[in-house]
Amino acid sequence: DTGPAWSTVKVPIAQRVLDDFGGPPGISSAQAGEINRAITVSDNDAAAALFSDLEKKHGGLEKASTAVGETLQEAGDFTTQISTQGRDTFSTYGQTEWSLEAQNRYMAALAGGCLADDQITNYLLDQMSMTGGEDTFGIGAVGVPAKWKGGWGPGTDGKHLVRQMGVMPVDGKDMVVSVAAIADDGTFESAQSIATEMATWASQNLSDDILKSVPCGPVPESTS
């Protein structure tokens, strides 16, 4: 139901950079490359550079974290707080406790064009359509055109959490999906397999008659 955001938080970080620096036409070539690498191959150094730009603009770690959190609030999530505390060698923001429900709400709002103008929305979704590398599990392994971002890492107990959020077509309509898994054996590979099973099941068993449009703005309750 919940756990560290890990690399899925790179999407709201990229969104905030785009918001703050004038959208796709306003960002630097370096920032464009960093957004591409942070999303498509989950490059940690690229994400750190983007977050560093936010720290410089907003005045430090706390305020940059608050700024990223504001993107979640725009999706109606007033509970999640972007972490300012890292663990071991992991980033502060990657340790953000992000529930699956709240993450799905953010992804639905982003995909629905509720969080940014069309230029920024399409830019981010285009980047997510090119995701590959170790992210190619779950939504990325169903065999349909999809846009997604994954994240993974070990808990304090050593067991790996893997999670993804994204959009994939079901019965001719875009469906927003968020999945998370921790395998009994604790391995990254087993958790990946579970996430792929869940995403495949969703693509094959959820039908158009149960899909609902998500309105822009805060959503009081959601179903899964």
PDB file of all heavy atoms in Angstrom, residues 5 8 16 29 42 45 51 63 66 76 83 89 105 116 120-121 147 149 162 169 198 202 206:
ATOM      1  N   ALA A   5       9.289   6.216  -2.281  1.00  0.00           N
ATOM      2  CA  ALA A   5       9.011   6.512  -3.689  1.00  0.00           C
ATOM      3  C   ALA A   5      10.106   6.014  -4.602  1.00  0.00           C
ATOM      4  O   ALA A   5       9.866   5.706  -5.775  1.00  0.00           O
ATOM      5  CB  ALA A   5       8.845   8.017  -3.886  1.00  0.00           C
ATOM      6  N   THR A   8      10.524   6.776  -8.688  1.00  0.00           N
ATOM      7  CA  THR A   8       9.284   7.312  -9.260  1.00  0.00           C
ATOM      8  C   THR A   8       9.139   8.804  -8.957  1.00  0.00           C
ATOM      9  O   THR A   8       8.457   9.525  -9.692  1.00  0.00           O
ATOM     10  CB  THR A   8       8.044   6.556  -8.746  1.00  0.00           C
ATOM     11  OG1 THR A   8       7.980   6.632  -7.320  1.00  0.00           O
ATOM     12  CG2 THR A   8       8.076   5.097  -9.187  1.00  0.00           C
ATOM     13  N   ARG A  16       8.590  19.859 -11.684  1.00  0.00           N
ATOM     14  CA  ARG A  16       8.849  21.120 -10.990  1.00  0.00           C
ATOM     15  C   ARG A  16       9.927  21.934 -11.700  1.00  0.00           C
ATOM     16  O   ARG A  16       9.830  23.161 -11.795  1.00  0.00           O
ATOM     17  CB  ARG A  16       9.252  20.856  -9.544  1.00  0.00           C
ATOM     18  CG  ARG A  16       9.365  22.142  -8.726  1.00  0.00           C
ATOM     19  CD  ARG A  16       8.007  22.779  -8.510  1.00  0.00           C
ATOM     20  NE  ARG A  16       8.084  24.218  -8.354  1.00  0.00           N
ATOM     21  CZ  ARG A  16       7.255  24.934  -7.590  1.00  0.00           C
ATOM     22  NH1 ARG A  16       6.288  24.329  -6.910  1.00  0.00           N
ATOM     23  NH2 ARG A  16       7.364  26.242  -7.526  1.00  0.00           N
ATOM     24  N   SER A  29      19.859  23.156 -22.265  1.00  0.00           N
ATOM     25  CA  SER A  29      20.133  21.872 -22.918  1.00  0.00           C
ATOM     26  C   SER A  29      20.602  20.843 -21.896  1.00  0.00           C
ATOM     27  O   SER A  29      20.294  19.644 -22.020  1.00  0.00           O
ATOM     28  CB  SER A  29      21.178  22.050 -24.018  1.00  0.00           C
ATOM     29  OG  SER A  29      22.385  22.578 -23.494  1.00  0.00           O
ATOM     30  N   SER A  42      16.541   6.232 -15.622  1.00  0.00           N
ATOM     31  CA  SER A  42      16.564   6.377 -14.165  1.00  0.00           C
ATOM     32  C   SER A  42      17.947   6.759 -13.628  1.00  0.00           C
ATOM     33  O   SER A  42      18.393   6.246 -12.596  1.00  0.00           O
ATOM     34  CB  SER A  42      16.070   5.092 -13.484  1.00  0.00           C
ATOM     35  OG  SER A  42      15.459   5.388 -12.244  1.00  0.00           O
ATOM     36  N   ASP A  45      22.378  10.475 -11.015  1.00  0.00           N
ATOM     37  CA  ASP A  45      23.161  11.712 -11.067  1.00  0.00           C
ATOM     38  C   ASP A  45      22.388  12.809 -11.788  1.00  0.00           C
ATOM     39  O   ASP A  45      22.450  13.988 -11.398  1.00  0.00           O
ATOM     40  CB  ASP A  45      24.494  11.467 -11.779  1.00  0.00           C
ATOM     41  CG  ASP A  45      25.443  10.604 -10.952  1.00  0.00           C
ATOM     42  OD1 ASP A  45      25.262  10.544  -9.715  1.00  0.00           O
ATOM     43  OD2 ASP A  45      26.345   9.991 -11.547  1.00  0.00           O
ATOM     44  N   PHE A  51      17.546  18.292  -9.018  1.00  0.00           N
ATOM     45  CA  PHE A  51      17.144  18.709  -7.670  1.00  0.00           C
ATOM     46  C   PHE A  51      18.061  19.817  -7.163  1.00  0.00           C
ATOM     47  O   PHE A  51      17.615  20.721  -6.449  1.00  0.00           O
ATOM     48  CB  PHE A  51      17.158  17.517  -6.716  1.00  0.00           C
ATOM     49  CG  PHE A  51      16.448  17.787  -5.428  1.00  0.00           C
ATOM     50  CD1 PHE A  51      15.066  17.753  -5.363  1.00  0.00           C
ATOM     51  CD2 PHE A  51      17.152  18.100  -4.274  1.00  0.00           C
ATOM     52  CE1 PHE A  51      14.397  18.018  -4.173  1.00  0.00           C
ATOM     53  CE2 PHE A  51      16.499  18.366  -3.088  1.00  0.00           C
ATOM     54  CZ  PHE A  51      15.113  18.327  -3.030  1.00  0.00           C
ATOM     55  N   LYS A  63      13.287  23.883   1.204  1.00  0.00           N
ATOM     56  CA  LYS A  63      12.382  24.613   0.319  1.00  0.00           C
ATOM     57  C   LYS A  63      12.250  23.941  -1.039  1.00  0.00           C
ATOM     58  O   LYS A  63      11.174  23.972  -1.649  1.00  0.00           O
ATOM     59  CB  LYS A  63      12.853  26.052   0.179  1.00  0.00           C
ATOM     60  CG  LYS A  63      12.685  26.859   1.470  1.00  0.00           C
ATOM     61  CD  LYS A  63      13.103  28.306   1.301  1.00  0.00           C
ATOM     62  CE  LYS A  63      12.890  29.080   2.596  1.00  0.00           C
ATOM     63  NZ  LYS A  63      13.316  30.496   2.459  1.00  0.00           N
ATOM     64  N   THR A  66       9.832  21.146  -0.485  1.00  0.00           N
ATOM     65  CA  THR A  66       8.470  21.694  -0.418  1.00  0.00           C
ATOM     66  C   THR A  66       7.950  22.023  -1.803  1.00  0.00           C
ATOM     67  O   THR A  66       6.776  21.761  -2.124  1.00  0.00           O
ATOM     68  CB  THR A  66       8.450  22.956   0.459  1.00  0.00           C
ATOM     69  OG1 THR A  66       8.828  22.604   1.794  1.00  0.00           O
ATOM     70  CG2 THR A  66       7.065  23.589   0.489  1.00  0.00           C
ATOM     71  N   GLY A  76      -4.142  16.925  -5.526  1.00  0.00           N
ATOM     72  CA  GLY A  76      -5.060  16.627  -4.431  1.00  0.00           C
ATOM     73  C   GLY A  76      -4.442  15.821  -3.309  1.00  0.00           C
ATOM     74  O   GLY A  76      -5.151  15.353  -2.417  1.00  0.00           O
ATOM     75  N   SER A  83      10.582  13.794   1.394  1.00  0.00           N
ATOM     76  CA  SER A  83      11.546  13.563   2.461  1.00  0.00           C
ATOM     77  C   SER A  83      12.772  14.468   2.332  1.00  0.00           C
ATOM     78  O   SER A  83      13.256  14.735   1.227  1.00  0.00           O
ATOM     79  CB  SER A  83      12.000  12.099   2.456  1.00  0.00           C
ATOM     80  OG  SER A  83      13.026  11.886   3.406  1.00  0.00           O
ATOM     81  N   THR A  89      23.303   5.559   1.347  1.00  0.00           N
ATOM     82  CA  THR A  89      23.755   6.400   0.227  1.00  0.00           C
ATOM     83  C   THR A  89      22.601   6.876  -0.645  1.00  0.00           C
ATOM     84  O   THR A  89      22.818   7.482  -1.696  1.00  0.00           O
ATOM     85  CB  THR A  89      24.736   5.609  -0.658  1.00  0.00           C
ATOM     86  OG1 THR A  89      24.075   4.435  -1.164  1.00  0.00           O
ATOM     87  CG2 THR A  89      25.955   5.174   0.137  1.00  0.00           C
ATOM     88  N   ARG A 105      -3.070   8.851  -7.928  1.00  0.00           N
ATOM     89  CA  ARG A 105      -3.781  10.126  -8.084  1.00  0.00           C
ATOM     90  C   ARG A 105      -2.902  11.133  -8.822  1.00  0.00           C
ATOM     91  O   ARG A 105      -3.375  11.856  -9.704  1.00  0.00           O
ATOM     92  CB  ARG A 105      -4.195  10.666  -6.716  1.00  0.00           C
ATOM     93  CG  ARG A 105      -4.931  11.988  -6.758  1.00  0.00           C
ATOM     94  CD  ARG A 105      -5.465  12.367  -5.386  1.00  0.00           C
ATOM     95  NE  ARG A 105      -6.473  11.401  -4.958  1.00  0.00           N
ATOM     96  CZ  ARG A 105      -7.050  11.428  -3.740  1.00  0.00           C
ATOM     97  NH1 ARG A 105      -6.676  12.334  -2.859  1.00  0.00           N
ATOM     98  NH2 ARG A 105      -7.968  10.548  -3.431  1.00  0.00           N
ATOM     99  N   ALA A 116      -0.234  20.706 -15.410  1.00  0.00           N
ATOM    100  CA  ALA A 116       0.623  21.616 -16.167  1.00  0.00           C
ATOM    101  C   ALA A 116      -0.026  21.891 -17.515  1.00  0.00           C
ATOM    102  O   ALA A 116      -1.033  21.268 -17.878  1.00  0.00           O
ATOM    103  CB  ALA A 116       2.009  20.996 -16.357  1.00  0.00           C
ATOM    104  N   ILE A 120       4.197  21.086 -21.209  1.00  0.00           N
ATOM    105  CA  ILE A 120       4.896  20.362 -20.144  1.00  0.00           C
ATOM    106  C   ILE A 120       4.347  18.949 -20.004  1.00  0.00           C
ATOM    107  O   ILE A 120       5.102  17.976 -19.880  1.00  0.00           O
ATOM    108  CB  ILE A 120       4.798  21.129 -18.812  1.00  0.00           C
ATOM    109  CG1 ILE A 120       5.608  22.432 -18.900  1.00  0.00           C
ATOM    110  CG2 ILE A 120       5.290  20.265 -17.640  1.00  0.00           C
ATOM    111  CD1 ILE A 120       5.503  23.314 -17.666  1.00  0.00           C
ATOM    112  N   THR A 121       3.025  18.821 -20.022  1.00  0.00           N
ATOM    113  CA  THR A 121       2.391  17.502 -19.889  1.00  0.00           C
ATOM    114  C   THR A 121       2.883  16.553 -20.984  1.00  0.00           C
ATOM    115  O   THR A 121       3.313  15.434 -20.707  1.00  0.00           O
ATOM    116  CB  THR A 121       0.866  17.626 -19.954  1.00  0.00           C
ATOM    117  OG1 THR A 121       0.408  18.431 -18.860  1.00  0.00           O
ATOM    118  CG2 THR A 121       0.197  16.256 -19.887  1.00  0.00           C
ATOM    119  N   LYS A 147       3.387   4.459 -21.152  1.00  0.00           N
ATOM    120  CA  LYS A 147       4.250   5.504 -20.612  1.00  0.00           C
ATOM    121  C   LYS A 147       4.370   5.231 -19.124  1.00  0.00           C
ATOM    122  O   LYS A 147       3.353   5.126 -18.431  1.00  0.00           O
ATOM    123  CB  LYS A 147       3.640   6.880 -20.864  1.00  0.00           C
ATOM    124  CG  LYS A 147       3.234   7.147 -22.318  1.00  0.00           C
ATOM    125  CD  LYS A 147       2.445   8.442 -22.429  1.00  0.00           C
ATOM    126  CE  LYS A 147       1.983   8.692 -23.852  1.00  0.00           C
ATOM    127  NZ  LYS A 147       0.897   7.764 -24.271  1.00  0.00           N
ATOM    128  N   LYS A 149       7.122   5.071 -15.312  1.00  0.00           N
ATOM    129  CA  LYS A 149       8.380   5.283 -14.586  1.00  0.00           C
ATOM    130  C   LYS A 149       8.408   4.333 -13.405  1.00  0.00           C
ATOM    131  O   LYS A 149       7.415   4.217 -12.678  1.00  0.00           O
ATOM    132  CB  LYS A 149       8.489   6.725 -14.075  1.00  0.00           C
ATOM    133  CG  LYS A 149       9.795   6.991 -13.306  1.00  0.00           C
ATOM    134  CD  LYS A 149      10.986   7.026 -14.242  1.00  0.00           C
ATOM    135  CE  LYS A 149      12.308   7.029 -13.474  1.00  0.00           C
ATOM    136  NZ  LYS A 149      12.754   5.671 -13.094  1.00  0.00           N
ATOM    137  N   VAL A 162       9.759  -2.874  -5.432  1.00  0.00           N
ATOM    138  CA  VAL A 162       9.722  -2.302  -6.774  1.00  0.00           C
ATOM    139  C   VAL A 162       8.349  -1.686  -6.980  1.00  0.00           C
ATOM    140  O   VAL A 162       7.344  -2.203  -6.481  1.00  0.00           O
ATOM    141  CB  VAL A 162      10.009  -3.342  -7.886  1.00  0.00           C
ATOM    142  CG1 VAL A 162      11.354  -4.007  -7.673  1.00  0.00           C
ATOM    143  CG2 VAL A 162       8.909  -4.385  -7.984  1.00  0.00           C
ATOM    144  N   PRO A 169      -2.878   1.464 -22.596  1.00  0.00           N
ATOM    145  CA  PRO A 169      -4.200   1.375 -23.213  1.00  0.00           C
ATOM    146  C   PRO A 169      -4.944   0.102 -22.809  1.00  0.00           C
ATOM    147  O   PRO A 169      -4.361  -0.977 -22.775  1.00  0.00           O
ATOM    148  CB  PRO A 169      -3.882   1.368 -24.709  1.00  0.00           C
ATOM    149  CG  PRO A 169      -2.506   0.802 -24.799  1.00  0.00           C
ATOM    150  CD  PRO A 169      -1.789   1.237 -23.556  1.00  0.00           C
ATOM    151  N   MET A 198       1.063  -8.442 -12.285  1.00  0.00           N
ATOM    152  CA  MET A 198      -0.052  -7.558 -11.943  1.00  0.00           C
ATOM    153  C   MET A 198      -0.440  -6.666 -13.106  1.00  0.00           C
ATOM    154  O   MET A 198      -1.629  -6.496 -13.416  1.00  0.00           O
ATOM    155  CB  MET A 198       0.307  -6.714 -10.722  1.00  0.00           C
ATOM    156  CG  MET A 198       0.348  -7.492  -9.424  1.00  0.00           C
ATOM    157  SD  MET A 198       0.478  -6.407  -7.974  1.00  0.00           S
ATOM    158  CE  MET A 198       2.182  -5.850  -8.142  1.00  0.00           C
ATOM    159  N   ALA A 202      -3.967  -6.667 -15.226  1.00  0.00           N
ATOM    160  CA  ALA A 202      -4.792  -5.464 -15.402  1.00  0.00           C
ATOM    161  C   ALA A 202      -5.115  -5.228 -16.872  1.00  0.00           C
ATOM    162  O   ALA A 202      -6.259  -4.905 -17.227  1.00  0.00           O
ATOM    163  CB  ALA A 202      -4.077  -4.252 -14.811  1.00  0.00           C
ATOM    164  N   LEU A 206      -9.191  -5.858 -16.907  1.00  0.00           N
ATOM    165  CA  LEU A 206      -9.967  -4.637 -16.692  1.00  0.00           C
ATOM    166  C   LEU A 206     -10.562  -4.208 -18.018  1.00  0.00           C
ATOM    167  O   LEU A 206      -9.874  -4.176 -19.032  1.00  0.00           O
ATOM    168  CB  LEU A 206      -9.089  -3.531 -16.103  1.00  0.00           C
ATOM    169  CG  LEU A 206      -8.494  -3.833 -14.732  1.00  0.00           C
ATOM    170  CD1 LEU A 206      -7.697  -2.645 -14.212  1.00  0.00           C
ATOM    171  CD2 LEU A 206      -9.578  -4.211 -13.728  1.00  0.00           C
TER     172      LEU A 206
END
